[in-house]
Amino acid sequence: MARQGKKSRNGAFWGKALERAHLGVWDWDLSTGDCFYSATWARMLGYADNELANTSDLWLQLTHPDDRERALASGDRHIAGLTDAIETELRLKHKQGHWVWVLDRGGIVERGADGQPLRLMGVQTDISKQKAAEAALEQVNVRFRLALAASGTGIWHYDIATHKSYWDARTREMFGVAADADEVPPDLWHSFLHPDDKEATERAHQPPPGSNGVTASQYRIIKRDGEVRHIESLVRYIAVAGAAGQILGTVRDITEDKLREQELAFAARHDALTGLWNRAAFDRLLADHIATGVPLAVFYVDLDYFKALNDFAGHAAGDLALKSVAAGIGRCLPPSAHAARLGGDEFALLVPHCDAAQAERLAGAILAAVRGADLGLAATARRLAASIGIAIVNDRATTVADALACADDACYAAKAAGRDRFAVFSAEANSGGLNAARLAADTVDAMEDGRLKLFGQEIHRLGRPWQESRHVEVLARLAGRSGKLIPPSEFIPAAERFGIAARLDRWIIRTALSRHGAAMKSGAITLGFNLSAQTLSDPGLWDFVDSIIEQTGAPHSGIGFEITETAAVTNFDAAETFVRKARERRCKVSLDDFGAGMSSFEYLRRFPVDAIKIDGSFIEHIAESRFDREIVLAITSIARSLGCHVVGEKIERQDTLAMLSDMGVDFGQGFLLHRPEPLEQIVARATGPADGARARRAS
């Protein structure tokens, strides 16, 4: 019964098996050269039964040219007894013209009496889908390897069961390991870890079995040559069937990134020229020290004769002097002290555990260091000194502004006493000593509560109506809490002293353009703005101005900026950059207080400005002073030859106006009734009935 139940394994049976398995059979008789190809082999290539002639080299005719040598070599090696079987991959041409990948396996099935092979048989399997998958995977791997190479990332893994570690070539290169094989000693990595990072780093590289999260860490390694490098690592546990699992990780050298971070952090806290703390960082340090309640001395150091040095020897000599002074101050200070450059030629110091007597001795040493500063070639003709104010702080309720204000007031006392000396703040002698700090704080409040007012001063061409120029210099007036106007001669120096001048300038520019951009766009008015030294050196100034112009529609050509010689001296490179960018945008630039400094004509040569404003000290007494008249004539002549307009300040008398008219000065500022008035009134007058239609069209 069992024998009768068995199915016959005849030719039809094996044919069906080959059909189901998608196998093509070949049978090569070496003695006759005949080669048989099964019907399944023909159908695999798209041919019907008996459509192909069973020649011995049929398969070779259909083989891809690039695969023929390899396929022949595989058969030759087996026939020669060098291999146990034929096994190779090759491409055969399909009837429709494309290539079919096949795996060819076979071998000798019959030998003669002399042992020589007589017959070979084999099967070919269509592996096109497998090869396509391999090609797709290879593309993924290529992209993956490219991404790793571009990111500088190395890969490693650790087998928990066998305690074996494997590092790829990039990881070995990163750690300076000279090895050709991926396997490295399991304790090798630990030997590189920086002692201060070792415990935390090893803990981060031990993810618990079964976890699927990624642990990121940064640590330092010490290479065999002593070099310290920073490494960033990502680690994950990988489960492996039937095994304890693996720890897979990546490493990336971030040393350069860390150095850049440190450089940026240093730049954010330090003055670029001297390397001392900057104003913001010093304020934080001072606040922290005051909060401890430890007695400390605060010094305010203002250099004497620095502007004259710049005028005589140029800004390069000034930079050299500032760096030399900073170095000299540093050599005088105890290790616990801190020094800062507040801006220009002003410095501040804080010295913990320092009483008045110690502070006075330290101030004497600093004065000597300033006198001995390296001035380069200017040393033979110029000298430098300092005025120092000292405030002793021992009350933790003292604010930073109050501490600096006290030291600053003492510094002014030292200047008033003759310079090149120090003074210690006394509350009794300086009952109003905190006025400047409070005034600066009140200025900030006034920007928010509407007490800061915009005024304007028309710039008139002599003897011509203002409508021909339509230019207004924008001014600010501070209304005290009592309602009384505080003159700019009080609140602007306070703003500069306490580092809010740039914020004040931005408020003035933003407010004026926001309120009157439409009038400017219509051509009804142009506006001029005075810039402090702090604003002039602000690298974000033009981004701010361009943004406000885009928002308000005010044209660049309708905006003018005035820079003073004082601002140019302490920020010479910034002034040159500012003027260049202003000219690129077709904004007007004026050089203010011209003639007051020793190098006014040098600045005129270096800065291609549109106008110069002759300092009022040469204008107000021009009717009586021949010297002033000659100075004004000389400035006017040079300005005209350079294509610059001339503006005269303090033209407040009829005889002054007449004298300037006779001399041919082009412009006059502040003539007679045209004193500063609210900017709103000037704009309203400019955009009145005659100009209203134009303004409405523009807006």
Side-chain angles (χ1 to χ4, degrees):
M1 293 293 292
R3 180 180 298 274
Q4 293 177 357
K6 289 183 179 180
K7 294 182 178 179
S8 174
R9 268 63 170 182
N10 55 21
F13 173 85
W14 290 112
K16 185 176 292 186
L18 293 174
E19 185 74 31
R20 290 286 185 266
H22 302 286
L23 297 176
V25 178
W26 55 267
D27 185 351
W28 184 19
D29 189 330
L30 296 181
S31 61
T32 64
D34 294 334
C35 189
F36 166 79
Y37 301 95
S38 69
T40 55
W41 185 88
R43 286 195 291 273
M44 183 172 63
L45 299 180
Y47 294 94
D49 295 353
N50 303 320
E51 190 174 352
L52 292 172
N54 286 343
T55 59
S56 61
D57 63 346
L58 174 61
W59 71 274
L60 193 59
Q61 296 174 23
L62 297 176
T63 299
H64 193 287
D66 294 344
D67 301 340
R68 289 171 183 168
E69 290 297 329
R70 186 175 69 257
L72 288 171
S74 177
D76 291 343
R77 286 196 302 272
H78 176 61
I79 293 173
L82 300 178
T83 58
D84 294 334
I86 297 172
E87 182 170 346
T88 186
E89 294 177 352
L90 64 151
R91 285 164 289 182
L92 298 178
K93 194 167 188 177
H94 194 274
K95 182 179 180 179
Q96 295 180 356
H98 61 272
W99 297 99
V100 177
W101 273 101
V102 299
L103 172 61
D104 186 17
R105 285 176 173 166
I108 300 169
V109 296
E110 185 179 348
R111 296 179 182 272
D114 57 358
Q116 293 299 311
L118 296 178
R119 184 180 176 193
L120 280 76
M121 290 185 66
V123 295
Q124 292 183 345
T125 309
D126 186 340
I127 59 170
S128 297
K129 292 182 179 180
Q130 175 185 331
K131 297 298 289 186
E134 290 177 358
L137 180 60
E138 178 60 21
Q139 289 183 354
V140 172
N141 287 335
V142 168
R143 290 195 292 269
F144 178 67
R145 289 192 294 269
L146 180 61
L148 286 178
S151 65
T153 301
I155 297 179
W156 58 269
H157 74 271
Y158 172 73
D159 190 291
I160 298 175
T162 63
H163 301 291
K164 291 184 177 181
S165 290
Y166 301 89
W167 295 6
D168 71 351
R170 178 58 61 88
T171 302
R172 299 196 300 273
E173 177 187 356
M174 207 174 297
F175 282 74
V177 174
D180 295 330
D182 286 356
E183 185 177 352
V184 298
D187 60 346
L188 179 65
W189 174 71
H190 302 268
S191 67
F192 284 97
L193 297 180
H194 191 286
D196 295 341
D197 301 343
K198 187 178 181 67
E199 182 178 351
T201 303
E202 290 179 336
R203 188 166 55 250
H205 283 66
Q206 295 174 352
S211 63
N212 57 11
V214 176
T215 302
S217 63
Q218 294 182 2
Y219 58 93
R220 288 167 293 175
I221 63 171
I222 304 176
K223 298 176 71 172
R224 296 297 183 246
D225 59 2
E227 181 185 11
V228 176
R229 306 293 293 181
H230 291 262
I231 302 295
E232 179 182 66
S233 180
L234 300 176
V235 177
R236 182 176 181 177
Y237 172 81
I238 302 296
V240 178
Q246 295 180 348
I247 298 175
L248 178 66
T250 65
V251 287
R252 187 168 67 92
D253 191 319
I254 58 170
T255 305
E256 281 66 34
D257 294 341
K258 284 291 184 181
L259 293 176
R260 280 193 295 271
E261 286 178 11
Q262 294 168 6
E263 291 170 358
L264 290 173
F266 183 90
R269 299 190 303 267
H270 292 79
D271 173 60
L273 178 64
T274 63
L276 301 180
W277 296 107
N278 60 25
R279 175 63 182 266
F282 183 80
D283 284 355
R284 290 192 294 269
L285 284 169
L286 183 53
D288 292 343
H289 279 77
I290 292 174
T292 65
V294 173
L296 59 92
V298 178
F299 293 68
Y300 203 102
V301 182
D302 192 0
L303 300 186
D304 300 322
Y305 319 117
F306 181 73
K307 185 175 184 298
L309 172 65
N310 264 290
D311 288 344
F312 175 79
H315 75 286
D319 287 351
L320 174 63
L322 289 172
K323 289 190 284 189
S324 180
V325 166
I329 290 175
R331 288 191 291 270
C332 297
L333 296 179
S336 60
H338 298 277
R341 183 188 177 205
L342 302 184
D345 57 355
E346 297 175 332
F347 300 82
L349 322 171
L350 72 87
V351 186
H353 304 286
C354 184
D355 57 26
Q358 293 171 320
E360 291 181 6
R361 288 194 295 272
L362 181 55
I366 293 172
L367 290 174
V370 173
R371 296 187 203 105
D374 180 11
L375 306 184
L377 297 177
T380 57
R382 295 286 147 184
R383 69 189 185 96
L384 204 60
S387 297
I388 301 177
I390 305 170
I392 304 300
V393 180
N394 49 28
D395 182 356
R396 66 178 65 198
T398 304
T399 66
V400 169
D402 286 352
L404 285 173
C406 292
D408 189 28
D409 283 344
C411 180
Y412 271 85
K415 281 189 179 294
R419 303 187 180 187
D420 194 18
R421 64 196 63 210
F422 64 84
V424 180
F425 177 81
S426 167
E428 294 75 17
N430 296 270
S431 57
L434 301 183
N435 285 343
R438 290 172 181 152
L439 187 55
D442 196 42
T443 302
V444 174
D445 292 339
M447 297 180 200
E448 306 294 335
D449 61 24
R451 289 184 295 108
L452 196 62
K453 309 292 184 181
L454 289 184
F455 275 61
Q457 191 170 38
E458 298 176 354
I459 306 297
H460 282 249
R461 186 183 300 273
L462 291 179
R464 307 298 299 173
W466 174 75
Q467 284 73 14
E468 291 189 7
S469 66
R470 295 181 176 271
H471 188 61
V472 180
E473 180 181 357
V474 180
L475 309 171
R477 297 292 184 265
L478 175 63
R481 298 188 184 278
S482 64
K484 181 181 178 181
L485 287 180
I486 299 172
S489 59
E490 293 184 19
F491 73 85
I492 288 181
E496 292 174 341
R497 188 182 311 172
F498 290 95
I500 63 168
R503 181 175 176 181
L504 174 60
D505 288 348
R506 285 194 176 210
W507 183 91
I508 293 171
I509 294 170
R510 181 190 301 109
T511 304
L513 297 187
S514 298
R515 292 177 182 174
H516 308 300
M520 298 174 68
K521 187 176 181 180
S522 73
I525 57 167
T526 61
L527 298 181
F529 300 94
N530 295 287
L531 298 183
S532 67
Q534 294 173 17
T535 299
L536 194 63
S537 59
D538 179 3
L541 173 62
W542 280 112
D543 288 340
F544 164 76
V545 172
D546 291 340
S547 174
I548 295 299
I549 286 175
E550 182 178 355
Q551 295 172 24
T552 63
H556 283 90
S557 58
I559 300 173
F561 294 105
E562 296 185 11
I563 57 176
T564 64
E565 282 195 46
T566 301
V569 164
T570 55
N571 301 270
F572 195 88
D573 291 336
E576 281 195 312
T577 300
F578 169 81
V579 172
R580 175 177 54 79
K581 291 186 176 181
R583 305 286 293 195
E584 291 172 356
R585 290 165 171 79
R586 296 185 299 113
C587 292
K588 302 296 189 296
V589 182
S590 299
L591 192 58
D592 202 3
D593 298 336
F594 191 82
M598 297 178 65
S599 294
S600 294
F601 290 104
E602 168 66 11
Y603 300 134
L604 189 58
R605 182 178 69 83
R606 297 294 296 270
F607 301 144
V609 297
D610 300 285
I612 59 174
K613 293 176 66 176
I614 303 176
D615 189 77
S617 63
F618 296 107
I619 299 293
E620 58 183 336
H621 302 299
I622 195 170
E624 302 88 21
S625 171
R626 178 184 175 186
F627 175 81
D628 289 346
R629 289 196 294 273
E630 294 297 329
I631 290 293
V632 172
L633 280 172
I635 294 174
T636 303
S637 176
I638 293 174
R640 283 177 174 171
S641 68
L642 296 176
C644 297
H645 294 300
V646 179
V647 177
E649 298 179 323
K650 294 189 177 180
I651 307 174
E652 300 173 352
R653 292 162 38 191
Q654 187 64 48
D655 57 347
T656 303
L657 174 63
M659 181 64 69
L660 287 172
S661 182
D662 292 341
M663 295 166 57
V665 177
D666 288 340
F667 289 86
Q669 177 189 358
F671 163 61
L672 296 178
L673 298 178
H674 303 292
R675 297 180 183 278
E677 58 181 308
L679 184 59
E680 296 281 355
Q681 295 181 14
I682 299 177
V683 176
R685 195 162 55 243
T687 57
D691 299 309
R694 177 173 52 185
R696 285 192 295 273
R697 284 196 302 270
S699 61

